[in-house]
Amino acid sequence: MPYALRTDHLVVGYDGWVSTPITLEVEPGTITAILGPSGCGKSTLLSTIAGIREAISGHVIVGDVDVTHIPAHERSVGLVFQEPLLFPNYDVARNVGYGLERQGVSRSAARARALELLEWVGLVGYGDRSVDELSGGQAQRVALVRALAPNPAILLLDEPFSALDVDLRQHLAREVAELLRGRGVAAVHVTHDPAEAEAIADHVVRFADICE
Amino acid sequence: MGSGDGALNTPRWLRGIWVIPLAFLLVFLALPLVVLIIRTWSGDGWRILANASTWQITALATVQAVLSTVLSLAVGLPIAAVVSRYSFRGRALAQALVTVPFVMPTVVVALAFRSLLGSALPQGFLIVVLAHAYVNLAVVVRIVGSQWSQHDDRYARVAQTLGATPLTVFRTVTLPYLRSSIISSSVVVFIFSFTSLGIIVLLGDSSTRTLESQILRRTSVLLDFPAAAALAVLQLIVICIVIALGAVASRKRGQQKPVRNALLSMPTNRASRTAIHLIAVCSCAIVLLPVFALLIASVRSNSGLTTQWWTSINAIDSGTTRIGSPVASLAQSLQFALITGIVASLVGGCAALAVLAHRWGRFIALFAIIPLGISAATLGLGMLLAFGRPPVDLRASGLLIPLAHSLVAVPLVVAVIAPALRGIDPRAREVAATLGARPTRAFFTAYGPTLRTVMLAAGGLACAVSLGEFGAASFLARTGAPTVPIQIVRLLSRPGEQSYGVAAVMSLILIALTLVLVLVVDRLGRRNGALRPAH
């Protein structure tokens, strides 16, 4: 059975900095946490896997497809950042249905599906609200279901809880882990917090260990 | 009487400073407008509104202004996308060059376009729209670019990972973010194009008449002041409607959080890098081509290259009382510019200071910005009717033009000085007071150094405005003492290559003077940090 995600001697870089080749393997339905200090290149790795940055060399393989040269919008890789980055020009449900609309789903069908997903994360009745009305934790939940709505092959979480306060961070980390396992979604979660990594992940690897 | 913070420390003279801008604006802005409206009301000026040609001109000017706005956006947006977002060598130069057309006097732009395209394009609609787009390029690049430069690119990345193509990302993420700045710049470009005069006079034909040009014609050719006043009021109403529509359209909705220093590094793929460099090079070429055409026109005669036009700027028309030599008009323009610089920086400076010292100061500053929305012809005509003939005839004193120029420049002066003063920590004044400084000393300890710099910079900007201003001056100039832009138009109205060549020389001198002033303003601004000329 192929890995959900595999990087094969992937070299990433940003503004003159270049990593050593990175090899990472994520099994289907599992959550892998990558632990490393701020600025070590974790986010650059995720951006490259998502197709936002070009790989300098090596390969990104999602399922059994080499997506190294496929643009981000065709990769089926979801990404959640530290901040929710919800589109303020759309209401909550339209944000969640955004990816479905890009797949050709009609706006009304995308909205209906978005409302189901919102219910799933405990945000019943929030569909028509402006994103400005959400608390930090609610906004991050919306960002999560927005990324999950188009059924990505793998979900990348770039320190999505670090902007939240400690109690909420731990609570939400556990909740997200349950949600992902419940749906069988493979995910890569990068963090600099060992406790958070342990709380959410099936496997924890240090960034330095996956670099050759 | 105070603003609420440290009113006891506010020097008495500062508390009353609002009187100066208020008096100036009441006398030289409100009174002329009232006279204009009374003149329209009492005369039979309204009959011109029953004239079908008035509405035809309004409709044509609207179409022209809409197309000029669309073209400015079509050219300006890609340039803004590149010069305000990506970090590359030569970015600062490209950004500075794009500002050049906006500070160039409109008659100079018109002559430059005639030199560049005159043989290929006849006078008329197309060349007018092109020239307007050229002048207003900086408006789009500066206003939209300043917002774009703070765009958090991660919103676009999220959309990409959700399956959005680059075009969909632009439509659903970037465009909504830029909406307010695009609308603001569109309103400004529309108003500038709708009220255009210099470009219309030199490049237009019967299809490009604007209400502004009709106001000038009614005033100076037909001597029909009531009709001119009615047209000015009609134009004012159209401008108010456009501003109101713009305000409604750009009502604040949810906004993506901007980020500071969001300059992107150059993309790694070659095609994108090439496209970015190509747009940057094209933007420089677009700006410089008309200026080069002007340069060539200044050294070309039917028989080949010549320096004759440069050497004859003191000889042509000298001794004639009707026009005066180009050098004399240059001296006249410099004199007006100096007076404008002093008056506008004092009035605008006092308006900006009033914001600090008085609860009504904000309204005074707002009042001082109003001339920005009133066309130069309306201002010129209003001042002509109010102060251009007995019992109050300021034309003979030579002050009417610099006073009109000061009105045009005051909004820019306020826009330069007010943010710089707001950026100063008011606690510096309180600290000085606790160390024994009297209110005036404490005020100048805190605000003096910045105030000195920004007043100089704003004065320089006002001088630049005066040097290039054509609309108001064309109503108020006396026959023997034209300003340089008026002299250029007069020279071009005569046949002969000498007139054309000398007009090109004067245009280049005007560009050089304006650029020197703008560069000085920019240098002072960089020294002060917070200061940026408001373009």
Side-chain angles (χ1 to χ4, degrees), chain B residues 221-272:
Chain B
V221 180
L222 305 176
L223 302 176
D224 184 357
F225 287 100
L231 291 175
V233 171
L234 173 63
Q235 181 168 267
L236 206 56
I237 291 169
V238 173
I239 291 171
C240 288
I241 291 171
V242 171
I243 290 174
L245 287 175
V248 170
S250 62
R251 262 182 315 190
K252 270 201 169 176
R253 298 178 186 179
Q255 183 63 287
Q256 293 164 31
K257 289 191 184 78
V259 286
R260 283 191 165 192
N261 302 322
L263 269 188
L264 306 175
S265 34
M266 287 291 272
T268 43
N269 75 69
R270 185 175 288 182
S272 305

Side-chain angles (χ1 to χ4, degrees), chain A residues 14-15 47 50-54 72-74 77-79 81-90 95 98-100 102 132 146-147 150, chain B residues 152-166 168-169 171-173 176-177 253-257 265-270:
Chain A
Y14 179 57
D15 271 354
S47 298
I52 291 162
R53 286 186 195 291
E54 277 192 271
H73 63 274
E74 292 173 8
V77 174
L79 179 60
F81 283 100
Q82 185 175 338
E83 288 108 56
L85 301 170
L86 301 177
F87 307 132
N89 45 315
Y90 297 139
N95 261 278
Y98 184 93
L100 293 170
R102 304 285 82 78
D132 295 334
R146 179 179 65 176
Chain B
D152 189 341
D153 193 48
R154 291 176 305 169
Y155 285 99
R157 294 187 203 174
V158 166
Q160 276 179 292
T161 61
L162 292 168
T165 60
T168 310
V169 171
R171 184 173 56 78
T172 59
V173 177
Y177 171 74
R253 298 178 186 179
Q255 183 63 287
Q256 293 164 31
K257 289 191 184 78
S265 34
M266 287 291 272
T268 43
N269 75 69
R270 185 175 288 182

Side-chain angles (χ1 to χ4, degrees), chain B residues 159-495:
Chain B
Q160 276 179 292
T161 61
L162 292 168
T165 60
L167 194 64
T168 310
V169 171
F170 183 75
R171 184 173 56 78
T172 59
V173 177
T174 314
L175 215 49
Y177 171 74
L178 297 176
R179 190 168 174 272
S180 59
S181 61
I182 289 176
I183 291 171
S184 303
S185 59
S186 300
V187 168
V188 173
V189 177
F190 179 90
I191 291 174
F192 283 170
S193 306
F194 186 76
T195 62
S196 174
L197 184 61
I199 286 172
I200 299 292
V201 167
L202 288 182
L203 297 178
D205 63 4
S206 61
S207 70
T208 57
R209 285 175 294 174
T210 56
L211 289 173
E212 194 90 336
S213 67
Q214 292 310 294
I215 295 166
L216 181 62
R217 184 167 166 270
R218 293 268 159 195
T219 311
S220 57
V221 180
L222 305 176
L223 302 176
D224 184 357
F225 287 100
L231 291 175
V233 171
L234 173 63
Q235 181 168 267
L236 206 56
I237 291 169
V238 173
I239 291 171
C240 288
I241 291 171
V242 171
I243 290 174
L245 287 175
V248 170
S250 62
R251 262 182 315 190
K252 270 201 169 176
R253 298 178 186 179
Q255 183 63 287
Q256 293 164 31
K257 289 191 184 78
V259 286
R260 283 191 165 192
N261 302 322
L263 269 188
L264 306 175
S265 34
M266 287 291 272
T268 43
N269 75 69
R270 185 175 288 182
S272 305
R273 292 171 78 95
T274 308
I276 287 169
H277 283 131
L278 199 65
I279 291 173
V281 169
C282 284
S283 65
C284 296
I286 288 170
V287 168
L288 290 177
L289 265 177
V291 181
F292 278 129
L294 210 50
L295 197 61
I296 290 167
S298 76
V299 291
R300 195 173 60 186
S301 70
N302 290 338
S303 51
L305 291 179
T306 179
T307 56
Q308 201 187 337
W309 317 141
W310 286 88
T311 54
S312 62
I313 58 166
N314 199 26
I316 186 172
D317 290 327
S318 65
T320 63
T321 51
R322 216 177 87 55
I323 294 187
S325 78
V327 169
S329 69
L330 197 59
Q332 182 75 82
S333 271
L334 286 172
Q335 189 189 337
F336 286 162
L338 190 65
I339 300 172
T340 303
I342 293 168
V343 173
S345 59
L346 280 177
V347 173
C350 290
L353 280 171
V355 178
L356 294 179
H358 197 274
R359 75 181 68 155
W360 297 109
R362 222 172 271 176
F363 294 102
I364 301 287
L366 207 63
F367 190 20
I369 289 175
I370 288 177
L372 208 58
I374 299 173
S375 79
T378 308
L379 285 177
L381 177 59
M383 289 190 89
L384 183 67
L385 292 174
F387 306 114
R389 45 181 143 185
V392 188
D393 188 359
L394 288 178
R395 279 180 101 191
S397 71
L399 283 174
L400 212 47
I401 291 180
L403 284 171
H405 285 177
S406 300
L407 268 180
V408 176
V410 158
L412 299 179
V413 170
V414 174
V416 167
I417 298 180
L421 294 182
R422 266 203 306 272
I424 296 169
D425 190 341
R427 288 173 302 180
R429 188 171 67 172
E430 290 157 20
V431 169
T434 61
L435 293 170
R438 289 173 180 278
T440 298
R441 161 64 69 185
F443 173 80
F444 280 108
T445 301
Y447 292 93
T450 301
L451 193 59
R452 210 167 29 242
T453 316
V454 292
M455 289 280 276
L456 271 173
L461 196 62
C463 287
V465 168
S466 172
L467 279 175
E469 206 283 330
F470 171 71
S474 58
F475 285 83
L476 302 169
R478 291 157 68 84
T479 315
T483 60
V484 174
I486 291 174
Q487 179 79 307
I488 290 170
V489 173
R490 284 182 182 175
L491 283 167
L492 291 173
S493 66
R494 302 188 313 191

